[in-house]
Amino acid sequence: YEVGVDKDGTIQACRVEAWGNGGCTHDFSGFLFTEYAEAVASVYAWGGHFRIDVHGMKTNLPSSSAVRSFGNPQGMFTTEAIIEHVASELGKPAEEIRERNMLTKANATTPWKQDMEFFNADMLYAKVKA
């Protein structure tokens, strides 16, 4: 991944490229890769400049059909690894980077311009933090 960030920790842009093991037979891997791509955006604004490319590959390994929440844990892991890396590079706590870049109910829109009318991550984060 590549991420552009201001000195204060405001993320201006992010580009992620990922590869997924689709196994040797047809399964739900294609859907998993789509879910992964959507999950990486997570609850952050990304400065309005976000791109993700996921390459699903057929391999010689057994296919592993997705079960629950497929793609989401992997996507959130990628997202939080980026946040942690930004924080480390800037010498700031990861919580500060999360809070600075987290969407709010007022501006909750996905990178593909879909409004999230039921967004509540900011409210839940505030409750957990309290």
Side-chain angles (χ1 to χ4, degrees):
Y1 63 86
E2 295 176 305
V3 62
V5 60
D6 290 342
K7 290 178 185 178
D8 69 356
T10 303
I11 296 173
Q12 295 300 319
C14 184
R15 184 184 69 79
V16 176
E17 189 166 15
W19 294 265
N21 177 356
C24 63
T25 61
H26 177 73
D27 67 355
F28 289 105
S29 293
F31 295 111
L32 184 143
F33 303 144
T34 299
E35 288 294 319
Y36 169 83
E38 291 178 355
V40 171
S42 190
V43 297
Y44 301 109
W46 304 108
H49 302 83
F50 179 82
R51 178 181 172 142
I52 182 163
D53 294 307
V54 181
H55 310 282
M57 300 178 296
K58 187 172 183 177
T59 67
N60 63 339
L61 299 174
S63 299
S64 299
S65 291
V67 185
R68 292 184 177 184
S69 192
F70 57 102
N72 290 289
Q74 298 90 336
M76 302 288 179
F77 177 83
T78 300
T79 302
E80 293 305 319
I82 293 169
I83 296 295
E84 295 275 341
H85 184 202
V86 167
S88 176
E89 288 292 316
L90 295 176
K92 296 181 180 289
E95 291 76 17
E96 182 179 332
I97 305 303
R98 287 184 183 99
E99 291 168 9
R100 181 171 301 283
N101 293 284
M102 189 177 289
L103 294 167
T104 66
K105 177 80 171 157
N107 70 352
T109 304
T110 66
W112 43 94
K113 309 298 183 220
Q114 179 182 0
D115 289 335
M116 294 186 279
E117 60 185 276
F118 300 109
F119 187 84
N120 64 357
D122 55 336
M123 183 260 313
L124 294 172
Y125 182 85
K127 282 186 176 186
V128 169
K129 189 176 174 184

